[in-house]
Amino acid sequence: MAMGDQQTKDLGNAPDAAEFRFPDTPEEYRRRWYAYYSEKRIVHQWFQVHLLQDLNVRRVLEIGPYLGLVTTMLSHAGYEVTTLDVEPRAFGFGGVRHIAADVRTVPPEAIRGFDCILCCETLEHVPWDEVDGVLRRFRESGAPWLVLSVPFEGTQIGFSFYANRFTVRRRSFLRKFRFLRRFPAADREDWAPHKWEIGFHGHGLSAFRRKIEDAGFAITRQEFTSGCRSVFLVCRNQAAGPAPAGG
């Protein structure tokens, strides 16, 4: 889909952060694409779409599409995709509508009519004490499903190994004792840096789950990815009632 075919709705209150502006030329877009989409990120973004396959979902609101890979995959998988970002237009391919708004202030009525809100690797850019309000907006939108992911830095270890007669590849990582450290402070009004990550002091997974449940969601599934080290949570809006058989 050509960029000119995108429908954009500007709700105001979107911070003017240069680092969130999309590339202006195909060359700059390509440069950023290769810089951002490493193998581990490709797998991480595929997993976002994978989590929807067992849910009764057709209309998806994707929060924070950035360069549009998930948008494209969702569209190719047959979903009706709308994106929401602080940017005034959608660069991602496949989204038929874009809402330019701050997720902290967007009116719930502006994001109604969706079967699922997909909000992955976005909430960590919001101050911890403002996450509750964002989650309540998602619940008040009436979307039956919410899929979240945020960085996970709790104690963990990972190792992979591959070899043949021509090559050897191995990867490993170890995270420990993050709970003894506070996450580095960042400017609350600057969207780019992370404000918190799960596993650091005061930001445990149980505390994050409580925020979700207190906002009116029931967590039905929890998964982890090792490459980008994130935790995924599939949540049911309790106001929408129990999930029908088959999702």
Side-chain angles (χ1 to χ4, degrees):
M1 178 174 292
M3 289 168 54
D5 294 336
Q6 305 284 338
Q7 297 179 18
T8 301
K9 182 177 181 181
D10 190 346
L11 297 178
N13 298 314
D16 185 17
E19 57 274 359
F20 275 80
R21 295 201 177 284
F22 291 102
D24 294 323
T25 66
E27 293 75 18
E28 175 62 13
Y29 178 89
R30 190 178 304 115
R31 184 192 69 78
R32 288 207 208 174
W33 198 99
Y34 281 109
Y36 184 75
Y37 289 123
S38 60
E39 178 183 349
K40 67 179 184 179
R41 279 207 175 103
I42 294 286
V43 172
H44 182 277
Q45 302 220 334
W46 163 82
F47 196 65
Q48 298 178 31
V49 182
H50 169 73
L51 286 174
L52 301 184
Q53 69 175 347
D54 295 326
L55 305 181
N56 184 21
V57 166
R58 181 169 60 90
R59 300 177 302 274
V60 178
L61 175 65
E62 181 195 358
I63 308 292
Y66 192 41
L67 297 179
L69 180 60
V70 173
T71 313
T72 304
M73 289 192 290
L74 287 168
S75 182
H76 283 196
Y79 296 100
E80 295 179 15
V81 190
T82 295
T83 54
L84 184 148
D85 200 277
V86 294
E87 272 295 299
R89 62 178 174 82
F91 197 98
F93 305 103
V96 297
R97 179 171 172 258
H98 179 69
I99 301 172
D102 186 331
V103 71
R104 298 171 297 181
T105 58
V106 61
E109 58 268 21
I111 55 174
R112 285 190 181 140
F114 297 100
D115 303 314
C116 179
I117 295 176
L118 183 65
C119 183
C120 294
E121 308 305 296
T122 297
L123 287 181
E124 67 272 14
H125 296 274
V126 175
W128 180 256
D129 60 353
E130 295 185 33
V131 169
D132 310 74
V134 174
L135 293 171
R136 285 194 296 270
R137 290 175 189 278
F138 291 163
R139 187 252 304 161
E140 292 168 6
S141 76
W145 291 103
L146 170 65
V147 176
L148 299 169
S149 80
V150 294
F152 178 74
E153 287 293 308
T155 300
Q156 57 193 302
I157 185 172
F159 178 81
S160 65
F161 179 81
Y162 173 82
N164 61 34
R165 60 179 294 195
F166 304 105
T167 188
V168 174
R169 290 196 302 268
R170 63 180 181 181
R171 298 174 182 171
S172 63
F173 68 87
L174 173 65
R175 292 290 185 273
K176 60 181 181 179
F177 304 135
R178 289 288 200 266
F179 62 91
L180 298 175
R181 299 164 47 190
R182 294 189 180 276
F183 194 78
D187 183 351
R188 293 175 64 92
E189 299 307 316
D190 183 357
W191 262 101
H194 291 189
K195 309 302 186 299
W196 51 272
E197 291 182 1
I198 298 298
F200 282 84
H201 182 74
H203 303 113
L205 180 56
S206 59
F208 184 58
R209 288 175 59 100
R210 281 196 300 273
K211 283 179 178 287
I212 296 169
E213 292 166 347
D214 289 347
F217 290 95
I219 299 170
T220 63
R221 183 176 178 182
Q222 178 175 282
E223 301 283 352
F224 296 86
T225 53
S226 59
C228 284
R229 295 185 298 278
S230 293
V231 56
F232 284 80
L233 297 155
V234 178
C235 312
R236 178 72 180 179
N237 189 338
Q238 292 183 316

